[in-house]
Amino acid sequence: MTEMTAHWAEDHPVLEVLRERRERQSRPGRRDDGHFVALAVEGGGLRGVVSAAMLCALEDIEVKNGFDIIYSCSSGAINAAYFVGGETWYPTSIYFDDLTSKDFLDFRRILRGQSIMNLDFALGDIVGERKPLSYEAVLKSEIPVHIMVTDIDNLTTRAPADFSSAADLLSALRASMWLPLAVRGASPFRDFRGIDGGVLTAHPFLIAEKDERVTHILSLSTRPMGSTRPGVSLLNRYVGFRLDRLRAGLGRGYVDAVRTYKQARRRIEDERLHPARRPYILDLAPLPRHAEVIRHESNPWLLLEGARSGYEVVYSAVERKYRRAMLRLTVPDHNRAEFLFPVDRLNRH
């Protein structure tokens, strides 16, 4: 546990309010503690397996109802939707069971002028049929889920939560997951063209901290702690160049967003140990010793390790003790796969 707690304060205000709410069994919309707690869920293509497992840990240790609002982006948005829908292990198992096939990701499609990533397969076959998302549960959730979408027509980030129907929600999820370069063009959403919600605002915590109601933010990041390097890389500049071909000014906005995010990430990494101001932000991420899961990872074992790293850090932070996450298989119920990490609930306190 020493290695874990060297990276955050055990009595961090965000952890304290979540523990207190769990103890009181308070629920969203029925609180009187004066706090408004946001959950910010990052994605990052296949790297979203990390935040999916983090959400599973939050559910397993029974702090899910401690949040008042969720801001999410990209694959983190689909993770958040499953989270409020009560199926946290579906999105986690999807990454290493269903998305490692050529049906979803195939670089050879470039030679045919097609998109590398097949969102119809991910959202239709997987989310729609094999491991179905309950859109009704998301629409009725006590915890509103804001899904970030980049409006390329107006060069801004939108984060709606007022979904009128399952079709409207699905359209937002598709647009937020529309990863530039991996998927060609843009996805229509309401009255504008949308792409990945992280293009102009790189992480949901940047939206959450602008919400004047928010007093505490638990930020779930999918890159390891300390992995953010200063400056704008050549890859970032190339992506910006390609985005400018989609919409003039979009690439410049993306590069500016990268700079803003890197500055903010250094700030909130300091606040893990030294929370200084409201809204209090605790950014949890895999420990520095863990390898970063790449956006297009297709090795299921590396995805499993990413899930393990995410689950362990959230469990350890909230429970003040380290437990090694281990995969346990179970018989699928009603043709729906269920995967669980064992959690020592009896010895929680």
Side-chain angles (χ1 to χ4, degrees):
M1 191 60 196
T2 302
E3 180 191 9
M4 291 282 190
T5 54
H7 297 286
W8 61 79
E10 286 192 42
D11 60 349
H12 194 288
V14 174
L15 297 176
E16 290 290 87
V17 71
L18 290 175
R19 293 171 188 141
E20 290 170 5
R21 287 182 167 187
R22 179 176 66 183
E23 184 68 23
R24 298 174 60 187
Q25 298 184 353
S26 68
R27 297 188 65 86
R30 305 172 219 173
R31 314 191 204 274
D32 57 3
D33 59 9
H35 305 309
F36 197 82
V37 184
L39 177 63
V41 187
E42 186 182 28
L46 275 296
R47 196 169 59 244
V49 69
V50 176
S51 58
M54 288 175 158
L55 293 173
C56 184
L58 290 174
E59 182 174 69
D60 282 351
I61 57 182
E62 300 177 3
V63 294
K64 174 181 176 179
N65 288 323
F67 300 101
D68 300 294
I69 195 168
I70 298 175
Y71 288 94
S72 61
C73 176
S74 189
S75 53
I78 194 72
N79 295 343
Y82 276 106
F83 179 63
V84 299
E87 299 285 3
T88 54
W89 265 106
Y90 276 18
T92 310
S93 67
I94 283 171
Y95 288 94
F96 49 77
D97 275 348
D98 304 294
L99 299 185
T100 54
S101 73
K102 297 294 184 183
D103 292 327
F104 174 63
L105 191 67
D106 189 350
F107 285 91
R108 295 174 300 180
R109 295 193 185 111
I110 296 177
L111 302 177
R112 302 192 294 270
Q114 299 174 340
S115 296
I116 297 169
M117 186 180 291
N118 185 349
L119 289 183
D120 288 336
F121 172 76
L123 293 173
D125 291 31
I126 307 304
V127 176
E129 297 181 9
R130 292 189 202 174
K131 297 175 181 176
L133 169 66
S134 175
Y135 291 94
E136 182 178 358
V138 180
L139 295 173
K140 293 181 178 179
S141 171
E142 296 177 305
I143 310 173
V145 179
H146 289 258
I147 298 175
M148 292 165 54
V149 178
T150 299
D151 177 348
I152 64 174
D153 294 320
N154 297 290
L155 296 179
T156 189
T157 303
R158 300 185 185 271
D162 57 335
F163 304 109
S164 59
S165 64
D168 190 34
L169 174 57
L170 174 60
S171 182
L173 290 170
R174 180 183 296 274
S176 189
M177 295 169 64
W178 200 275
L179 193 63
L181 278 65
V183 188
R184 298 167 65 89
S187 179
F189 176 58
R190 295 182 177 176
D191 60 347
F192 62 87
R193 294 178 298 158
I195 58 173
D196 189 322
V199 169
L200 295 178
T201 307
H203 197 296
F205 80 79
L206 294 166
I207 298 289
E209 66 180 355
K210 293 179 181 178
D211 188 330
E212 295 182 353
R213 300 168 296 172
V214 172
T215 60
H216 300 71
I217 302 170
L218 179 63
S219 170
L220 305 182
S221 293
T222 55
R223 295 180 177 89
M225 297 177 183
S227 61
T228 304
R229 298 178 180 177
V232 178
S233 69
L234 289 176
L235 177 60
N236 293 146
R237 295 185 186 280
Y238 173 71
V239 172
F241 168 75
R242 292 292 300 273
L243 288 173
D244 265 335
R245 296 174 63 181
L246 184 62
R247 165 71 160 88
L250 184 61
R252 178 181 299 175
Y254 166 75
V255 171
D256 289 343
V258 170
R259 291 195 182 98
T260 299
Y261 165 72
K262 290 187 174 184
Q263 293 171 357
R265 182 75 188 266
R266 288 194 293 273
R267 166 173 58 83
I268 64 172
E269 287 196 340
D270 290 338
E271 292 183 14
R272 288 195 191 107
L273 285 169
H274 308 289
R277 61 186 180 84
R278 284 197 172 194
Y280 296 112
I281 302 178
L282 174 61
D283 181 64
L284 293 180
L287 296 181
R289 61 181 169 82
H290 290 287
E292 180 176 327
V293 178
I294 60 177
R295 286 179 177 270
H296 53 276
E297 184 57 70
S298 60
N299 185 324
W301 299 110
L302 295 179
L303 293 169
L304 277 166
E305 280 303 303
R308 187 194 300 270
S309 68
Y311 191 101
E312 288 173 356
V313 75
V314 167
Y315 178 88
S316 300
V318 176
E319 301 293 47
R320 298 190 181 98
K321 58 185 177 182
Y322 174 69
R323 288 290 185 273
R324 179 65 169 157
M326 299 175 63
L327 185 67
R328 182 180 69 192
L329 299 178
T330 186
V331 176
D333 183 23
H334 303 300
N335 296 317
R336 300 172 72 174
E338 297 178 355
F339 297 87
L340 299 173
F341 278 119
V343 178
D344 184 2
R345 297 175 186 267
L346 296 178
N347 298 318
R348 174 180 297 135
H349 303 296

